């Protein structure tokens, strides 16, 4: 690591987030160097060294990758992290670098709504795609002979949770790799590599950076050969983060623990308030003691996320509710400091009711946010 023995003096999540990835202090130099804008670097003689060309490496990426690695796998120096232009670029890099024609992959049926497009492309390349729901560890039933198991836990948008340790052990027993989409949990909520996964993949666009102004993705992995293939895929496709985005992401990680703790606590309070409303059905939040996912989530997650999902009786009621909100923006994505909510069926691809709402709880005062939600529910009633 660049600044000290891994994990030294960094036992708390807040301390780790604030210090993650910083270079060793140099007199008169900034604590976090600014973004390096460079397509090429001085390179006399042999083409050796860490920075050869801007599509391959960048000093700003390096610091961010170290920071994310310290969060995903604190105290370990055998984990490599690579940043990408978006979460989907990161997801694609794992799937398309590890799978070949004739391989089988297991995907969740209830995962991110772009996964059906990924499935079609994989099948076009001759990869067999099997699917099963996240809940109940159902992916175990279709795992036999697969090359890669893709887990999304908690799932988006339904918030189901599976036993990552159990699935990873079963996959490894038959020679399969395991990737976990850790977007919703963040490394402060869950560390997939510690639970047995080979890859932890996430969209840094969401809560990791938390301000709704950066598109970013990353892959953290503990298998050097597999990560070399991911790196090669990034080079071939060129799905790289810009230095400004990488710098903004690194700057934002410093407040991750503050944001996550505030948003998670408020999300639980929001879920508890929504439980009291008769028009709300299908309420899901893994932090609720009576949520179907709570038991396993509590065993493998340290924080339960900022997303709450629920269903209103009709599409019209859901749309009136969203229009009546004043502190919650009608927008997609999640994890930002400003609360958002949307009717997910407007996109297609998610097997949810017409009145299904995915809400991302921001950093507003909990009392103000809950009051806004309850008022909007009242005003949207027929």
């Amino acid at each position: 690591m660049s600044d000290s023995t891994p994990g030294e003096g960094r036992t708390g999540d807040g301390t780790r987030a604030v210090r993650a990835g910083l270079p060793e202090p140099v007199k008169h130099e900034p604590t976090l160097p600014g973004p390096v804008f460079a397509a090429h670097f001085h390179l006399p003689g042999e083409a050796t060294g860490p920075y050869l060309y801007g599509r391959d490496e960048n000093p700003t990426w390096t610091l961010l990758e170290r920071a994310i690695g310290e969060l995903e796998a604190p105290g370990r120096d055998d984990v490599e992290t690579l940043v990408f232009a978006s979460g989907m670029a990161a997801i694609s890099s794992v799937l398309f670098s590890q799978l070949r024609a004739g391989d089988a992959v297991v995907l969740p049926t209830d995962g991110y709504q772009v996964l059906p497009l990924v499935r079609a492309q994989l099948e076009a390349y001759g990869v067999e795609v099997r699917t099963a729901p996240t809940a109940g560890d159902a992916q175990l039933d279709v795992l036999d002979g697969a090359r890669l198991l893709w887990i999304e836990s908690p799932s988006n948008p339904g918030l189901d949770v599976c036993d990552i340790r159990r699935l990873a052990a079963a996959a490894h027993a038959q020679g399969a790799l395991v990737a976990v989409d850790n977007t919703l949990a963040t490394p402060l909520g869950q560390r997939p590599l510690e639970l047995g996964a080979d890859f932890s993949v996430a969209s840094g666009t969401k809560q990791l950076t938390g301000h709704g102004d950066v598109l970013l993705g990353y892959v953290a992995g503990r298998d050097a050969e597999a990560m070399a293939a991911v790196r090669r895929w990034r080079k071939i496709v060129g799905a790289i983060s810009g230095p400004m985005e990488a710098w903004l992401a690194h700057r934002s990680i410093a407040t991750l623990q503050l944001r996550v703790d505030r948003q998670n606590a408020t999300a639980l309070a929001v879920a508890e308030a929504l439980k009291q409303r008769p028009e709300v059905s299908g309420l899901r939040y893994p932090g609720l003691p009576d949520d179907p996912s709570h038991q396993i989530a509590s065993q493998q997650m340290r924080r339960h996320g900022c997303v709450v999902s629920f269903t209103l009786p009709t599409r019209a009621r859901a749309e009136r509710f969203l229009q009546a909100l004043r502190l919650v923006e009608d927008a997609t994505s999640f994890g930002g400091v400003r609360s958002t909510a949307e009717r997910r069926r407007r996109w297609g691809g998610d097997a949810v009711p017409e009145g299904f709402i995915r809400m991302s709880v921001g950093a507003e005062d909990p009392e103000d946010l809950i009051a806004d939600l309850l008022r909007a529910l009242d005003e949207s009633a027929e």
Side-chain angles (χ1 to χ4, degrees), residues 72-315:
E72 284 280 356
R76 294 182 58 170
D77 57 9
D78 61 341
V79 170
E80 181 178 5
T81 304
L82 298 170
V83 295
F84 289 80
S86 68
M88 277 310 303
I91 289 170
S92 300
S93 75
V94 173
L95 291 170
F96 290 101
S97 71
Q98 305 301 315
L99 297 170
R100 305 289 184 270
D103 286 343
V105 61
V106 177
L107 301 179
T109 55
D110 52 342
Y112 182 46
Q113 54 103 3
V114 181
L115 286 182
L117 298 178
V118 174
R119 174 178 185 167
Q121 193 61 57
L122 287 169
E123 290 176 336
Y125 287 158
V127 175
E128 177 191 353
V129 179
R130 307 170 188 167
T131 59
T134 298
D137 300 342
Q139 289 175 301
L140 287 173
D141 296 334
V142 293
L143 187 57
D144 187 42
R147 164 67 178 162
L148 175 66
L149 168 63
W150 189 273
I151 295 170
E152 188 174 307
S153 180
S155 62
N156 172 27
L159 303 182
D160 276 317
V161 172
C162 62
D163 187 334
I164 296 175
R165 288 186 184 90
R166 181 188 181 201
L167 268 68
H172 289 155
Q174 54 182 281
L177 294 168
V178 178
V180 175
D181 187 328
N182 203 35
T183 302
L184 200 146
T186 82
L188 267 59
Q190 178 174 272
R191 295 180 184 142
L193 300 180
E194 294 182 357
L195 299 173
D198 300 289
F199 304 99
S200 181
V201 187
S203 168
T205 307
K206 312 299 194 297
Q207 196 171 23
L208 184 81
T209 57
H211 291 77
D213 53 7
V214 172
L215 287 174
L216 189 88
Y218 71 84
V219 179
R222 55 189 181 136
D223 183 282
E225 184 178 352
M227 287 302 294
V230 173
R231 179 183 289 274
R232 184 167 59 250
W233 181 263
R234 184 177 72 173
K235 179 182 178 71
I236 293 168
V237 177
I240 59 173
S241 170
M244 189 66 192
E245 287 81 2
W247 183 85
L248 285 169
H250 197 167
R251 178 213 60 177
S252 299
I253 285 175
T255 62
L256 180 60
Q257 182 261 336
L258 297 172
R259 292 184 281 107
V260 164
D261 282 352
R262 172 62 172 257
Q263 290 171 258
N264 283 210
T266 304
L268 179 59
V270 163
E272 289 171 339
L274 291 173
K275 276 182 63 176
Q276 311 306 316
R277 299 292 300 212
E279 68 269 56
V280 170
S281 64
L283 176 68
R284 296 300 303 272
Y285 182 67
L288 284 172
D290 58 350
D291 186 272
S293 294
H294 182 72
Q295 181 176 358
I296 186 61
S298 297
Q299 293 172 9
Q300 67 189 21
M301 299 182 73
R302 296 176 298 129
R303 295 170 175 87
H304 295 116
C306 65
V307 176
V308 177
S309 66
F310 58 97
T311 300
L312 293 177
T314 65
R315 170 178 174 170

Side-chain angles (χ1 to χ4, degrees), residues 13-28:
D13 286 338
T15 302
R16 186 175 291 113
V18 167
R19 305 295 306 177
L22 297 182
E24 290 193 26
V26 176
K27 189 174 183 178
H28 306 308

Side-chain angles (χ1 to χ4, degrees), residues 311-335:
T311 300
L312 293 177
T314 65
R315 170 178 174 170
R317 176 70 187 277
E319 290 177 344
R320 291 196 304 271
F321 166 72
L322 292 169
Q323 188 173 13
L325 291 167
R326 296 170 186 164
L327 297 180
V328 183
E329 301 168 356
D330 191 341
T332 195
S333 197
F334 58 84

